């Protein structure tokens, strides 16, 4: 029986955290545990919301503010699942994502991660089609976001996310190393991840 864990890094995203958590709890394929990594949130609302999480399926890890790559690595290192679902605290999945992602792993041992198209909402709208691929595909542009399910052993093999990349694009650098090791990134060709576009964010900065 496979075991699936989920990791949600959170830095001052208390207003949207429950939506991210709920989208994981409502997956049609059960997630065994959710690890929320509070990356040194300073917002009082976020601190209050995180302190009130009591669901036995959810574990909160609190750290000083080390940045998104570190928060992801800390969460993944604490997971017991063989597959890890990554979700940012201000975004959320459609209920069938895991159900549609799992067959890619089961049918091809070279698949290290499965992502999907992104449905943009907030300050911008539309569908972002991330095509995934192999090393040659990722050298010119990022063809997958951080919204993905990954194999924990492969994350460990390549050394996790680069914690020095605190200014963004840590997911692109991660996928370059994944594919450099000979693995590939598969894509569910449906918009099953809802990606919030804000006026101010790490990527826009």
């Amino acid at each position: 029986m496979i075991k699936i864990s989920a990791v949600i890094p959170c830095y001052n995203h208390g207003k949207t955290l429950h939506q991210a958590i709920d989208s994981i709890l409502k997956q049609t394929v059960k997630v065994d545990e959710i690890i929320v990594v509070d990356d040194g949130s300073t917002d009082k609302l976020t601190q209050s919301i995180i302190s009130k999480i009591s669901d036995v399926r959810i574990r909160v890890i609190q750290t000083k503010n080390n940045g998104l790559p570190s928060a992801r690595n800390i969460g993944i290192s604490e997971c017991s699942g063989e597959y890890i679902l990554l979700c940012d605290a201000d975004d959320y999945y459609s209920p069938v994502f895991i159900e549609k992602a799992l067959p890619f792993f089961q049918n091809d041992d070279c698949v290290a991660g499965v992502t999907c198209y992104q449905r943009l909402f907030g300050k911008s709208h539309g569908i972002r089609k991330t095509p995934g691929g192999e090393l040659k595909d990722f050298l010119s542009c990022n063809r997958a976001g951080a919204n993905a399910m990954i194999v924990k052993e492969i994350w460990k093999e390549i050394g996790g996310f680069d914690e020095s990349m605190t200014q963004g694009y840590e997911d692109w650098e991660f996928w370059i190393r994944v594919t450099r090791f000979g693995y590939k990134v598969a894509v569910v060709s449906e918009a099953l991840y809802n990606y919030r576009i804000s006026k101010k964010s790490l990527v826009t900065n």
Side-chain angles (χ1 to χ4, degrees), residues 154-197:
I154 296 176
W155 165 85
K156 188 185 299 184
E157 179 184 352
I158 71 164
F161 287 90
D162 183 343
E163 297 186 8
S164 70
M165 297 195 67
T166 57
Q167 300 305 308
Y169 293 120
E170 78 294 330
D171 51 345
W172 185 6
E173 193 278 335
F174 177 77
W175 294 128
I176 288 174
R177 274 186 294 120
V178 164
T179 52
R180 184 163 61 85
F181 272 66
Y183 298 108
K184 55 190 175 183
V185 183
V187 178
V188 179
S189 302
E190 298 178 51
L192 301 178
Y193 188 72
N194 299 276
Y195 185 88
R196 189 184 307 270
I197 303 294

Side-chain angles (χ1 to χ4, degrees), residues 98-132:
I98 295 178
E99 177 185 334
K100 297 203 171 188
L102 278 176
F104 288 94
F105 294 112
Q106 295 162 346
N107 295 332
D108 190 342
D109 290 339
C110 288
V111 171
V114 180
T115 184
C116 63
Y117 293 171
Q118 298 172 344
R119 185 179 304 280
L120 310 181
F121 71 103
K123 297 298 180 182
S124 182
H125 298 272
I127 303 295
R128 181 182 291 160
K129 297 182 178 181
T130 46

Side-chain angles (χ1 to χ4, degrees), residues 8 17-26 34 36 53 58:
I8 307 176
L17 178 60
H18 279 304
Q19 189 174 34
I21 291 172
D22 286 346
S23 78
I24 294 171
L25 293 176
K26 291 176 180 175
I34 298 174
V36 175
I53 293 176
I58 304 169

